[in-house]
Amino acid sequence: MATLATRPPADVSTDWPALLAASADCVAHLGNAHFETDLVALLHHGVGFEQCILFAYGKGDRMEAQLVENSRFPKVAGRLAALYAGGLFRQDPHYPRLRELLEAGDDQAEAELMTMRDEAMSPAYRSHLFAFPDLADKASLVIPAGHVVYYLNLYRDLDRGRFCPEELEHLRSLMPLLASLIHRHYRQAHPTALAASDEEAAALAPLSARERALCLHLLRGHTLKTAAAELAIALSTAETYRKRAYAKLRVRSRAGLLGLCRRG
């Protein structure tokens, strides 16, 4: 993959009214189905990117994708997230720091901004995670939260180029807000977890953790109403998760969902 020089965009000024409005939306929707959409909007107002993946790194050396966003290549982003969480994360140059923070278990530690370390990447790691869809740069926020470390990754493509210093400073200034929002939203009770087969895990990889949990309940024979009860969420919230999941997976019904997961 070509190495790009950092080039500042034409305008790196912050649209503060839009940023404040997006922040207010995030606060208003903490713990519900709209939060992740609002978080992505907030990040777009703070600094431009083509792909966003939020991981949770926890005990047992486990990595789980919580949020995957790539409007142009959603399925590709989902596959990359699944590949990374499936074990490739151990080749990430930032992996030792993630382990160190998890072992410390300090939920009061400050978030850290980390940039992409080209020289520390193995050829295989770069090839798998950056060669397609032509990603050129990554900026990461590492957010310690006691029993888990959240790892927010924002990616740039070849057309846009690398993050410039001004944009990284914008992101750094947003770190306390982003860390607080992510910590507060995801520390709330997670939906009941169901084990997924390899085929289901691959098919549902583009989804957020909560969308995936709902789909697994639907795949196990639950109605939307009983799935909502099992997950301790409102029926309207379950409807939102289902609508978003079906749109990402390009299916229209539970039958379509079943067919997709059986194909793998």
Side-chain angles (χ1 to χ4, degrees):
M1 183 175 70
T3 301
L4 302 182
T6 300
R7 68 175 190 274
D11 182 8
V12 295
S13 61
T14 302
D15 183 351
W16 287 108
L19 191 63
L20 289 172
S23 301
D25 287 339
C26 284
V27 172
H29 295 139
L30 281 168
N32 73 34
H34 299 288
F35 173 82
E36 290 170 345
T37 299
D38 296 330
L39 178 64
V40 170
L42 172 60
L43 290 166
H44 272 301
H45 286 302
V47 58
F49 59 88
E50 281 64 55
Q51 179 171 285
C52 169
I53 304 180
L54 173 65
F55 293 101
Y57 178 58
K59 293 180 179 179
D61 199 31
R62 294 173 61 97
M63 187 75 71
E64 180 182 356
Q66 300 293 309
L67 169 64
V68 181
E69 171 65 23
N70 185 321
S71 58
R72 293 190 301 169
F73 304 111
K75 289 190 175 181
V76 171
R79 293 190 187 102
L80 293 178
L83 185 65
Y84 182 89
L88 202 56
F89 67 90
R90 297 184 184 92
Q91 296 185 35
D92 189 329
H94 299 148
Y95 172 62
R97 183 56 177 159
L98 295 175
R99 287 201 58 154
E100 182 180 352
L101 290 169
L102 183 65
E103 290 170 2
D106 183 0
D107 63 356
Q108 300 300 315
E110 294 184 356
E112 301 177 11
L113 174 63
M114 297 181 175
T115 54
M116 192 166 84
R117 295 167 53 193
D118 298 273
E119 74 287 351
M121 288 186 185
S122 69
Y125 182 85
R126 175 185 288 279
S127 174
H128 282 304
L129 297 181
F130 289 89
F132 184 79
D134 295 330
L135 298 174
D137 199 10
K138 178 179 79 166
S140 305
L141 293 186
V142 180
I143 304 169
H147 66 288
V148 67
V149 177
Y150 294 108
Y151 189 38
L152 176 65
N153 295 277
L154 305 177
Y155 302 82
R156 282 281 179 81
D157 66 11
L158 292 172
D159 289 338
R160 193 191 293 259
R162 291 187 178 277
F163 292 97
C164 72
E166 291 86 351
E167 289 169 323
L168 292 175
E169 281 307 307
H170 285 179
L171 190 55
R172 192 185 304 276
S173 69
L174 287 172
M175 274 200 315
L177 171 63
L178 293 169
S180 177
L181 289 171
I182 289 171
H183 192 175
R184 290 176 61 192
H185 176 73
Y186 289 102
R187 76 182 175 186
Q188 297 182 33
H190 283 277
T192 304
L194 289 178
S197 68
D198 291 343
E199 291 79 9
E200 289 169 342
L204 302 180
L207 307 183
S208 73
R210 297 187 177 197
E211 292 162 358
R212 188 162 54 247
L214 177 67
C215 284
L216 285 172
H217 278 77
L218 296 178
L219 288 167
R220 300 296 182 270
H222 281 277
T223 66
L224 189 65
K225 184 175 182 179
T226 61
E230 286 289 318
L231 300 174
I233 58 177
L235 181 58
S236 60
T237 300
E239 289 172 343
T240 299
Y241 288 150
R242 182 177 63 179
K243 181 179 179 180
R244 290 194 330 205
Y246 283 9
K248 290 178 182 179
L249 299 176
R250 297 182 181 179
V251 299
R252 296 182 177 180
S253 65
R254 183 162 59 178
L257 179 65
L258 284 165
L260 178 68
C261 290
R262 286 170 181 168
R263 289 199 306 269

